[in-house]
Amino acid sequence: VKSLLIDQSKIDKFQMNDKEFVSFEMLSNPPMLSGFYERHFDGLLIDCYIKHNKSKYTNNDGVEYRIENQIYLFVNGDYFKFSSKKSLYNLLPEYKSLLKRFLKQNSLALSKKKLNDLPRILKYCDELLSDEA
């Protein structure tokens, strides 16, 4: 079977399994490494991009591959690295108590490893910022 080598410089974005991936070059002022990023959330004032990575680790049991995603939030024209709910609290300190209450009332988890609830939480943050504007 012949392999297909794609010229990535000619691709702006693509979709796979209902997820959109955009090229690093399509983002405005990105501080991240080049490549493609999943557009995980696209709000009015907040966007979320994920660089999916796997790292190879060798131990006594053999080789292990670990998922080490890098998550970036785009807020007010700047990118911020996301690693935990604390990073979100630091990004939006004026809404910390509202965010804590929202997470607790809706039993939502917020961490780098649990991304299922992230769009719902970011939608709430986007609404908070939109109400302020």
Side-chain angles (χ1 to χ4, degrees):
V1 177
K2 284 188 173 183
S3 62
L4 178 64
L5 186 58
I6 297 172
D7 184 356
Q8 292 183 10
S9 67
K10 297 184 186 226
I11 298 172
D12 294 333
K13 61 184 176 178
F14 64 91
Q15 285 196 314
M16 184 169 50
N17 297 330
D18 297 328
K19 294 181 181 183
E20 181 181 32
F21 293 82
V22 294
S23 171
F24 167 84
E25 286 80 19
M26 292 288 296
L27 305 176
S28 58
N29 303 318
M32 313 87 103
L33 298 172
S34 63
F36 287 91
Y37 289 78
E38 176 192 347
R39 188 186 317 256
H40 195 67
F41 179 79
D42 188 13
L44 295 173
L45 299 173
I46 298 176
D47 295 333
C48 177
Y49 298 95
I50 302 174
K51 177 71 171 173
H52 295 278
N53 292 316
K54 285 187 182 177
S55 296
K56 181 180 176 180
Y57 293 93
T58 307
N59 56 30
N60 294 338
D61 298 330
V63 176
E64 177 184 350
Y65 291 91
R66 296 182 195 156
I67 296 173
E68 295 181 354
N69 295 331
Q70 297 171 351
I71 304 167
Y72 293 91
L73 302 178
F74 184 67
V75 183
N76 296 327
D78 289 317
Y79 288 90
F80 301 92
K81 197 166 189 176
F82 172 84
S83 55
S84 67
K85 61 184 169 187
K86 184 177 180 181
S87 57
L88 189 61
Y89 295 155
N90 290 338
L91 179 61
L92 305 168
E94 64 274 20
Y95 300 113
K96 184 177 179 178
S97 60
L98 290 173
L99 286 169
K100 282 185 173 185
R101 188 175 332 130
F102 180 76
L103 293 174
K104 188 175 182 178
Q105 287 175 344
N106 294 286
S107 301
L108 299 173
L110 185 59
S111 74
K112 196 173 179 178
K113 293 183 180 183
K114 296 181 181 180
L115 299 175
N116 294 342
D117 295 334
L118 188 56
R120 185 170 175 199
I121 295 164
L122 292 177
K123 183 177 184 226
Y124 178 70
C125 293
D126 201 44
E127 290 168 357
L128 289 173
L129 291 173
S130 296
D131 289 345
E132 183 182 281

